[in-house]
Amino acid sequence: MPLTGHSKAEIADQPDMLEEENLLFRKIIDSIHEAVYVVHKDGKITLYNRESERMENLDRKEVLGKTEKEAFFQPYYFADEVTKKVFNTGKPILEQPYWYYLTNGRKTNMIYSAFPFFYRGEVTSVYVIFRNMNQMSDFIANTMELQKKFTKETNYYRKDALYLLDDIVGKSVQMKKIVREARQIAPRQSPVLIFGKTGTGKELFAQGIHNASLFAKGPFIGINCAAIPETLLESMLFGTVKGAFTGATDVPGLFEQAEDGTIFLDEINSMPLSLQAKLLRVLQEKKVRRLGGSVPIPVNCRVISATNVDPTQAVQEQTIRSDLYFRLATITINIPPLVERQEDIKVLTMHFIEKFNLEFDLFVHDLSNELLYAFEKYAWPGNVRELENFVESAMNFIQREDTILELDHLPEYFRERLESNKDCAHPATHTGTLQSILAETEKNLIKQYLAQNRNNITKTAQDLGISRQNLYYKIKTLGLDNK
């Protein structure tokens, strides 16, 4: 079957095309690192790639054209447990563990997925993809090495923490109070937990506290706990020793790299509970054990963590362990969303105008009342980050002679968002508790963006200024998952 779409006329005019594409297809299949084989509906194996040969120590000549039970050593249950089931149900079986013994007696641990192939409405083949667990360990080890190299190169060109508390822009009473409190607690060594919606500037505060602390001369190491798989996150935080798994080398974790500095754990509520237990031990003992190691290594760094959901709510919902919460939240800083501090909207807008004046070589010195009014009526689900995005977009459409940023400078898509969302900022007609009003407003806003984006999760999460994982969580908790 050709890899790309060609009409029958094209294939007839170019008789070598099908052969060339089939050769290319097989070349690609032989080049990947996963083991792949295909079983036809007559029970015969029709494809068996290079990685399958290497993994099972079999030659494809011994396998192709035979049934699974004929080709593989006895006893062999995979055909009955998996292949026949996919043929009968027409449904895939995804990411399942499986182990068996090779002909040389070696036990092999795998993760497999099996998929039906439909042709003219009928399941004519089943293809199975295997990943060797040892290969996954190699991948983690290689990623750790690359991460270490990347960290070195990045830190060579720029300072770890770029921002000071003086860089935080805001004239509202809330922001002045928070900055004052951050400046007061910065010289202490106590852990700090920062709570704020996505885009409010949690890392800005973390860097500012670091630079105002006794740890300022040390490194600032930040990591987003929601962006990294659990197995890799543990290795990155605590490090590895040679021999911990296949391909593992002696690599210091981020706690060791943050020695005499600050480690910033963003979206701590997304860290798996099993890993939270290990983190708690590190915080209590001020010692870390590398993955596969037995020797505790003393660590001396300040811990600043952040969450984009209410930490007490996260404890109630058991996404943060209560004992870890009390360890991390010795000091808590709550950054209010932009919609709750409207006095900051104009000053932030002017700050971003000055920033992009320098970047784009422009001379804008103010914004129109119409634009300011639209900004003040908007709910800003993406907070300060979304406001910066709006201003940067508008500044791209400024003419060199323009000195006032106008509503018309915004692309139509952004103007529509301002118009459709402006009433969400002031739910004057709602009744009920503050928590119920906020939940209903959030629910309506997510419904609106989902409808606007035709239920595209990635686009909706971007528009709201939150992660895909957080959006999925909100859809479920707000009862939108069945709509």
Side-chain angles (χ1 to χ4, degrees), residues 325-339:
Y325 165 67
F326 292 122
R327 177 66 64 174
L328 293 173
T330 305
I331 301 168
T332 302
I333 292 178
N334 187 353
I335 308 174
L338 185 56
V339 71

Side-chain angles (χ1 to χ4, degrees), residues 168-180 205 334-348 384:
I168 296 174
V169 177
K171 68 173 186 178
S172 63
V173 174
Q174 302 104 303
M175 289 303 289
K176 287 182 178 179
K177 180 174 181 291
I178 294 169
V179 172
R180 185 168 61 250
F205 270 90
N334 187 353
I335 308 174
L338 185 56
V339 71
E340 293 180 12
R341 44 188 178 97
Q342 289 205 348
E343 309 97 301
D344 293 336
I345 291 177
K346 182 173 183 179
V347 68
L348 282 165
V384 180

Side-chain angles (χ1 to χ4, degrees), residues 20 201 240 331:
E20 179 185 349
T240 58
I331 301 168

Side-chain angles (χ1 to χ4, degrees), residues 198 226-227 267 270 308 450 455-476:
T198 300
E267 295 196 52
S270 297
N308 53 16
L450 284 169
N455 290 330
N456 185 311
I457 293 294
T458 300
K459 187 69 173 62
T460 301
Q462 290 173 348
D463 289 347
L464 292 172
I466 61 179
S467 66
R468 281 170 52 92
Q469 183 180 12
N470 195 13
L471 178 57
Y472 275 121
Y473 171 77
K474 288 180 181 295
I475 288 172
K476 183 176 181 180

Side-chain angles (χ1 to χ4, degrees), residues 61 102 131 169 184 220 234 447 456:
K61 295 177 182 178
L102 298 177
R131 291 202 311 274
V169 177
Q184 183 177 350
F220 177 89
E234 182 177 359
K447 284 171 63 177
N456 185 311

Side-chain angles (χ1 to χ4, degrees), residues 302-341:
R302 185 177 200 167
V303 178
I304 301 178
S305 55
T307 171
N308 53 16
V309 299
D310 187 329
T312 56
Q313 178 186 345
V315 170
Q316 291 174 359
E317 295 169 351
Q318 298 183 345
T319 56
I320 297 181
R321 290 173 56 113
S322 58
D323 47 5
L324 178 64
Y325 165 67
F326 292 122
R327 177 66 64 174
L328 293 173
T330 305
I331 301 168
T332 302
I333 292 178
N334 187 353
I335 308 174
L338 185 56
V339 71
E340 293 180 12
R341 44 188 178 97

Side-chain angles (χ1 to χ4, degrees), residues 147-148 151 155 219 221 236 251-259:
Q147 191 271 339
K148 182 181 176 183
T151 302
N155 292 344
I221 304 292
M236 292 183 69
V251 179
L254 297 184
F255 271 93
E256 290 181 62
Q257 294 178 38
E259 184 70 9

Side-chain angles (χ1 to χ4, degrees), residues 83-265:
T83 315
K84 287 184 179 178
K85 185 176 180 180
V86 176
F87 269 117
N88 292 334
T89 64
K91 296 180 179 179
I93 300 175
L94 304 176
E95 299 292 318
Q96 295 297 313
Y98 199 83
W99 63 267
Y100 58 90
Y101 289 97
L102 298 177
T103 51
N104 58 12
R106 181 168 59 88
K107 182 181 178 182
T108 299
N109 295 305
M110 318 290 294
I111 291 180
Y112 76 88
S113 294
F115 303 88
F117 175 73
F118 289 88
Y119 184 68
R120 295 181 178 177
E122 178 188 4
V123 180
T124 59
S125 294
V126 169
Y127 59 99
V128 185
I129 301 174
F130 282 100
R131 291 202 311 274
N132 192 312
M133 292 297 291
N134 290 337
Q135 285 183 331
M136 297 177 71
S137 299
D138 291 342
F139 170 77
I140 293 174
N142 291 334
T143 304
M144 287 291 294
E145 284 296 322
L146 289 173
Q147 191 271 339
K148 182 181 176 183
K149 180 180 178 182
F150 177 78
T151 302
K152 270 188 176 180
E153 291 176 352
T154 305
N155 292 344
Y156 178 80
Y157 289 107
R158 63 183 181 134
K159 192 174 181 286
D160 295 319
L162 298 174
Y163 298 102
L164 307 172
L165 290 173
D166 290 338
D167 295 324
I168 296 174
V169 177
K171 68 173 186 178
S172 63
V173 174
Q174 302 104 303
M175 289 303 289
K176 287 182 178 179
K177 180 174 181 291
I178 294 169
V179 172
R180 185 168 61 250
E181 289 174 350
R183 206 181 301 280
Q184 183 177 350
I185 60 96
R188 313 288 192 268
Q189 297 188 21
S190 300
V192 179
L193 176 64
I194 304 173
F195 162 51
K197 297 291 185 180
T198 300
T200 50
K202 297 185 291 295
E203 184 162 359
L204 191 71
F205 270 90
Q207 292 189 17
I209 292 170
H210 166 77
N211 283 324
S213 72
L214 300 175
F215 298 92
K217 291 184 178 180
F220 177 89
I221 304 292
I223 185 170
N224 188 317
C225 300
I228 300 169
E230 178 180 356
T231 51
L232 183 56
L233 181 60
E234 182 177 359
S235 302
M236 292 183 69
L237 286 174
F238 307 133
T240 58
V241 297
K242 187 175 182 180
F245 46 79
T246 304
T249 58
D250 290 323
V251 179
L254 297 184
F255 271 93
E256 290 181 62
Q257 294 178 38
E259 184 70 9
D260 297 328
T262 300
I263 186 168
F264 175 55
L265 306 173

